[in-house]
Amino acid sequence: MSDQPESRRTAARRGSRARVVLWVVLALVLLLILAVAWVGVRGVLAKGHLERAVGDVDTLRSQLTDGDAAAVQKTAAQLEDEAGSARSLTGDPVWGAAQYVPFFGANLRAVRDVSVIVDDVAQNAVTPVADVVGELGSDSFAPKDGKIDLQPIEDAQPSVAKATKTLAAAHRDAAAIDVSGTLSPVTTAVGKLRNALSTASAQADTANRIVQLTPAMLGHDGDRNYVLLFQNNAELRAGGGIPGAVALLQAEDGAIHLQNQAAGSSFGPYDQPVLPLTADTRGLYGDITGEYMQDVTLTPRFDVSAKLAQEMWKQQYGQQVDGVLAMDPVTLSYILKATGPVQLPTGDTLTSDNAVKLLLSDVYAKYPDPVVQDAFFASAASAVFDKVSSGDFDETKFISALTESSGEGRLRIWSAAQSEQARISGTAVAGELPTASADTRQFGVYLNDGTGSKMDYYLEKTVSVGSSVCRKDGRPTSAVEVTLKNTAPADAATSLPAYVTGGGDFGVEPGKIKTLVAVYAPKDSIFLGASKDGKATALQTATDGDHPVAQLQTLLAPGESLTFRVAFLGKAEFANAAVQASSTPGVRQTEAEPLTFECEQPTAAD
């Protein structure tokens, strides 16, 4: 009997504990439900803020293009508010704890990472740049009274540098987001963020280099002098075209003047190269690369071309210049879209529509004397420069012209100052050989005229490139295909001026086009083979530094075409990188097309 009360007490205590456990479980369940609801609601709100932030980014792009400084500042402020709200909503302790819940946690971590990145970009990249744009105004970079005010550009340097650093870090952080366990919408969102940051980071890097370089290179800290090469695409050189005319470009605290214009043919021949050439350069392009100003761009390495041009100018005029620039008539045609037509001393009117044809074709029939032709080229360049210096042009179209020209390899810049050249290196205007990275593998297709004439006005070029992993070791096989066609009229030998056809003076029958084609692969690639019109062919194989080179000579009569394909083996570490091909800019330029091939025969015709 004495045991019964104790049993009841024990049972009561057990029941009490059970109720406590149930209450605790119930409380935990309620807390979990509340937490899920809290995270869910905040997730929906964060999603809304992020979507509106994306919309603000699109609006900013348009406003920046339009040059609407006030609107840019307003939209940037909205973007910062939206991004900050998204970061706040995904940064509370509940959200932080929920990030470790199986399955859902991976999605919450990814959304949190996206919110943090977007907020950092809004605060430390978009807002500083928007403030600079607001302070400068849309016409701050246009010359006034023949001079660009360089101080605002210099003042903008810290903000642009900060934005560039922020975007580079954001690009790395986005690449590190773990999406292995995320839902499709989250994975897609992260992918879009990565793509956007990749583009934005690259563009910011370019903008930063321009902002950091421009004041000094335009003479803000002391006058600068540059050799300016006017390249003629009607007679191709690997770097663009034969330097038909040369001038001195003087920059004095934002004021730019052209002086001392001369024909390219007036420099040389020198008894020997004006500077030592590497064995690779001599073997591929000959000693003439350093003996004639007109041949310094036989090599695609613009730094080599520039140093040779600098030395030739020094020997001719006794002046050590600070750098070398190069441009072509196609670039002038792009700039004319911004300036409008210009009148030349000859009475001709130069427009964006007629510049290329007039400067690269009609001039030879209209002015048969080569001396007059050189003077005509020089006067055309001077007229365009004078129009730009006056500030009488559309700024947006002018920037677009320079961007398009740089992207096509028509505008080149080299500085004798090592610190400046380091900033130029890696940009579109540097004129460097192709590289390979985790993102891209680049190939180069370079053309040199062998006709000794201006027939390349009629040379049509198509370039295709493709890649595939065909081996067990993971090394990629890449193929580059080049098709050349002579589009000159059938009676070119008699209907075109002898100065255009060459008149047979250099061993090429009038009307035909002789071309040397050099295909460059990234460093340490291995040459696999080549074909001509689908059949295996022998060619010259060489190296330019660590770059393998395959070079072939073609001779085409009017209407004839030829297709040349070459294959290389690359490094396994770059197998997933996108393949690209750049080529010597001719009169007409097209994007490289995609190429497919069979692994067994990468050089065989499709």
Side-chain angles (χ1 to χ4, degrees):
M1 295 291 294
S2 60
D3 292 338
Q4 188 173 358
E6 182 65 30
S7 298
R8 289 197 192 99
R9 285 195 297 270
T10 302
R13 285 196 298 270
R14 289 175 178 172
S16 178
R17 285 197 295 269
R19 284 193 296 273
V20 170
V21 170
L22 287 173
W23 278 109
V24 170
V25 170
L26 180 59
L28 289 173
V29 169
L30 289 173
L31 285 173
L32 180 59
I33 292 172
L34 287 172
V36 170
W38 177 258
V39 170
V41 170
R42 293 172 76 86
V44 170
L45 293 173
K47 178 176 179 290
H49 286 297
L50 288 172
E51 288 175 343
R52 286 190 290 275
V54 170
D56 289 336
V57 170
D58 291 335
T59 302
L60 273 171
R61 288 175 181 168
S62 176
Q63 291 169 344
L64 285 168
T65 301
D66 295 338
D68 190 340
V72 165
Q73 285 187 299
K74 181 179 178 181
T75 305
Q78 292 175 186
L79 171 60
E80 186 171 349
D81 287 343
E82 298 291 357
S85 297
R87 183 172 189 163
S88 177
L89 287 166
T90 59
D92 65 280
V94 176
W95 189 287
Q99 290 180 139
Y100 298 98
V101 174
F103 179 69
F104 291 108
N107 296 279
L108 298 179
R109 283 195 300 273
V111 172
R112 169 62 180 171
D113 290 342
V114 168
S115 300
V116 170
I117 290 171
V118 173
D119 186 45
D120 285 343
V121 169
Q123 288 190 61
N124 300 314
V126 176
T127 296
V129 173
D131 289 342
V132 168
V133 171
E135 292 171 5
L136 294 177
S138 60
D139 63 345
S140 294
F141 301 117
K144 297 177 180 64
D145 299 323
K147 179 180 177 181
I148 300 172
D149 184 1
L150 298 174
Q151 190 59 49
I153 304 178
E154 190 166 280
D155 292 342
Q157 289 175 345
S159 295
V160 177
K162 180 180 180 181
T164 303
K165 184 178 180 180
T166 297
L167 285 166
H171 185 207
R172 293 191 297 269
D173 291 343
I177 296 176
D178 183 6
V179 293
S180 58
T182 57
L183 295 170
S184 178
V186 175
T187 305
T188 301
V190 172
K192 289 181 178 180
L193 178 66
R194 287 171 174 170
N195 291 335
L197 287 172
S198 176
T199 301
S201 181
Q203 291 175 342
D205 180 67
T206 300
N208 184 48
R209 294 181 194 228
I210 293 171
V211 169
Q212 304 299 328
L213 285 168
T214 299
M217 293 192 72
L218 291 184
H220 195 41
D221 303 322
D223 295 350
R224 293 291 188 94
N225 294 293
Y226 303 94
V227 170
L228 180 57
L229 307 177
F230 295 105
Q231 299 194 90
N232 188 327
N233 315 94
E235 186 172 350
L236 289 174
R237 295 289 184 267
I242 186 172
V246 184
L248 181 71
L249 188 151
Q250 295 180 321
E252 303 172 357
D253 197 20
I256 302 174
H257 307 284
L258 282 183
Q259 306 286 344
N260 216 6
Q261 299 184 41
S265 57
S266 66
F267 295 80
Y270 300 91
D271 294 336
Q272 59 184 4
V274 295
L275 293 174
L277 301 176
T278 66
D280 291 342
T281 298
R282 291 199 310 271
L284 283 163
Y285 307 111
D287 284 345
I288 60 173
T289 307
E291 296 172 348
Y292 294 84
M293 180 69 84
Q294 292 178 310
D295 290 324
V296 296
T297 50
L298 282 170
T299 169
R301 293 177 178 263
F302 188 67
D303 62 329
V304 174
S305 302
K307 291 173 184 176
L308 292 169
Q310 180 193 41
E311 181 61 25
M312 290 181 187
W313 185 273
K314 181 180 179 181
Q315 293 194 22
Q316 185 89 334
Y317 296 107
Q319 181 183 25
Q320 183 79 11
V321 296
D322 302 297
V324 177
L325 291 79
M327 61 189 302
D328 63 10
V330 180
T331 299
L332 289 181
S333 75
Y334 294 161
I335 294 174
L336 284 163
K337 294 178 182 178
T339 64
V342 297
Q343 293 296 126
L344 305 184
T346 58
D348 295 282
T349 300
L350 199 65
T351 72
S352 60
D353 294 326
N354 73 4
V356 174
K357 188 171 186 294
L358 180 58
L359 294 171
L360 297 180
S361 178
D362 294 350
V363 64
Y364 302 113
K366 195 169 186 177
Y367 305 106
D369 186 347
V371 175
V372 177
Q373 293 165 8
D374 291 337
F376 185 80
F377 293 139
S379 68
S382 292
V384 175
F385 266 80
D386 288 344
K387 192 73 174 290
V388 172
S389 296
S390 71
D392 184 18
F393 62 88
D394 184 305
E395 241 188 304
T396 301
K397 290 182 179 179
F398 182 73
I399 293 173
S400 176
L402 297 183
T403 301
E404 185 173 8
S405 180
S406 300
E408 293 180 356
R410 303 183 185 280
L411 187 64
R412 297 291 190 224
I413 301 174
W414 173 80
S415 173
Q418 291 186 357
S419 59
E420 293 177 355
Q421 184 58 28
R423 288 190 180 276
I424 294 170
S425 180
T427 67
V429 298
E432 296 171 323
L433 297 185
T435 59
S437 69
D439 296 324
T440 59
R441 279 184 292 125
Q442 302 170 341
F443 293 82
V445 177
Y446 305 114
L447 310 183
N448 275 305
D449 174 74
T451 316
S453 70
K454 300 298 184 286
M455 285 296 292
D456 288 329
Y457 180 80
Y458 301 98
L459 186 67
E460 185 179 275
K461 172 194 64 183
T462 303
V463 176
S464 303
V465 61
S467 183
S468 183
V469 176
C470 301
R471 296 160 47 110
K472 292 182 179 180
D473 61 8
R475 300 187 68 174
T477 298
S478 300
V480 181
E481 185 174 276
V482 185
T483 299
L484 300 180
K485 183 177 181 179
N486 183 346
T487 66
D491 61 350
T494 56
S495 64
L496 297 179
Y499 188 79
V500 173
T501 65
D505 292 344
F506 296 92
V508 178
E509 186 179 339
K512 293 185 177 181
I513 302 177
K514 182 179 179 181
T515 309
L516 295 174
V517 184
V519 178
Y520 278 60
K523 290 181 179 180
D524 301 323
S525 298
I526 298 174
F527 172 75
L528 294 178
S531 65
K532 183 168 62 175
D533 286 336
K535 297 180 180 178
T537 186
L539 43 67
Q540 177 189 4
T541 56
T543 57
D544 194 343
D546 295 326
H547 294 263
V549 183
Q551 187 164 249
L552 177 77
Q553 180 176 293
T554 67
L555 183 64
L556 301 173
E560 287 186 340
S561 65
L562 179 145
T563 297
F564 164 50
R565 185 184 290 190
V566 59
F568 295 95
L569 186 67
K571 290 185 174 182
E573 62 186 296
F574 303 136
N576 295 323
V579 289
Q580 299 175 345
S582 59
S583 59
T584 296
V587 176
R588 293 159 292 276
Q589 191 76 347
T590 57
E591 294 287 333
E593 300 176 356
L595 177 68
T596 58
F597 56 85
E598 297 294 333
C599 280
E600 293 76 14
Q601 295 180 302
T603 61
D606 294 336

